[in-house]
Amino acid sequence: MTYQCHYESSPDVGVFVNLTNKYCITAPHESVQLFSLLESVLAPHGIPVFRTSIGHSAIVGRMTVGNSRGLLLPSTTRDFELMHIRNSLPEDVVVQKLDERLSALGNVIACNDYVALIHPDLDRETEEIIADVLGVETFRHSIAGLPLVGSYCRFTNKGCLVQPGCSREEQEELASLLGVQVCAGTVNRGAIAVAGGCVVNDFVGFIGRECTNTETGVIQAVFGIQQNLNAIDDMKRALAEGFL
């Protein structure tokens, strides 16, 4: 299932949302529309949805990274934010702050439940914490020569979307490394920072409202999710609230 949506006036939903198979974090905001959509879709699957800031920032999708086992936060996370996050997550999800100079963790780390791609310049200690907290195998990598792996690719346990500059040979290498199918594409009418325009887990995706039909089709195909054709009531409600 895929849903087109936006955060206030921005179609870059991946900047403001962190979604896994176990939880969903979204930025605090005055409009309740995005939160209501996320909650209505995810709550029936037992996935808690909650709001938080990270060090006064609303860009929680760029500042945090996680999977079903853990969640990593930058050192700028305030104590009351950390407490709120821990109280909102399932008990078996490990939460850890990272003292890392590359503090926008969502830009420099991309992961699923088994593998993490990390920025080549991350500290060795940071790499060890990533492997331990998330329970993944880590690989220092770039996407089409760009080190911000968390910005230029998005992957789940089922598929991986990379920016269009990624060559066929690199896509094949990533497919072997990650153990999932890999496809190049764009979001929001040609944007190459694909992680900013979509958040996905193994069964549902939320994509920017500017995504074209072609971009949406690529996202659905690579992640193995389909348009939500049966949930007519959900789509009507989303349309009425201005999501689509």
Side-chain angles (χ1 to χ4, degrees):
M1 298 181 290
T2 55
Y3 297 82
Q4 285 189 302
C5 54
H6 58 95
Y7 174 86
E8 296 183 350
S9 61
S10 174
D12 295 324
V13 291
V15 173
F16 304 99
V17 178
N18 185 347
L19 172 66
T20 74
N21 289 329
K22 293 285 286 291
Y23 55 85
C24 179
I25 308 171
T26 183
H29 47 84
E30 296 180 0
S31 172
V32 299
Q33 293 178 348
L34 177 59
F35 181 84
S36 296
L37 176 63
L38 292 168
E39 191 172 49
S40 67
V41 173
L42 299 174
H45 297 278
I47 297 178
V49 182
F50 62 95
R51 302 181 180 113
T52 188
S53 58
I54 299 292
H56 299 285
S57 173
I59 55 172
V60 298
R62 297 299 85 207
M63 300 302 292
T64 69
V65 66
N67 62 10
S68 296
R69 298 182 183 89
L71 175 67
L72 298 170
L73 307 173
S75 59
T76 54
T77 306
R78 295 168 289 179
D79 289 343
F80 76 88
E81 292 169 337
L82 177 60
M83 182 177 297
H84 170 59
I85 291 169
R86 280 180 169 159
N87 290 338
S88 302
L89 288 171
E91 292 184 359
D92 60 342
V93 175
V94 179
V95 183
Q96 177 73 48
K97 289 173 66 173
L98 277 178
D99 186 14
E100 166 61 51
R101 64 183 181 84
L102 300 175
S103 59
L105 303 180
N107 285 335
V108 298
I109 305 167
C111 70
N112 62 12
D113 289 337
Y114 307 101
V115 181
L117 301 180
I118 66 174
H119 191 293
D121 295 334
L122 283 181
D123 291 342
R124 290 294 177 185
E125 182 179 353
T126 296
E127 182 176 8
E128 292 174 2
I129 294 173
I130 293 169
D132 182 54
V133 172
L134 302 184
V136 294
E137 188 174 5
T138 60
F139 298 96
R140 294 177 181 266
H141 216 279
S142 62
I143 303 295
L146 301 172
L148 297 180
V149 290
S151 297
Y152 295 108
C153 79
R154 172 79 73 186
F155 65 95
T156 67
N157 299 329
K158 298 170 65 176
C160 174
L161 180 69
V162 295
Q163 67 114 319
C166 190
S167 67
R168 176 63 64 180
E169 291 75 17
E170 186 176 354
Q171 290 178 46
E172 292 174 355
E173 178 189 352
L174 285 170
S176 176
L177 201 64
L178 304 177
V180 299
Q181 62 179 342
V182 176
C183 183
T186 59
V187 294
N188 291 327
R189 299 187 182 275
I192 66 171
V194 293
C198 65
V199 286
V200 290
N201 64 13
D202 286 351
F203 64 90
V204 67
F206 299 90
I207 63 178
R209 65 179 177 182
E210 297 298 323
C211 285
T212 65
N213 289 338
T214 299
E215 290 170 336
T216 300
V218 170
I219 291 169
Q220 292 170 349
V222 72
F223 293 117
I225 52 180
Q226 297 179 347
Q227 183 68 37
N228 185 22
L229 297 177
N230 295 322
I232 301 300
D233 291 340
D234 285 347
M235 296 185 74
K236 286 182 177 178
R237 181 167 58 252
L239 178 61
E241 293 177 351
F243 292 119
L244 302 179

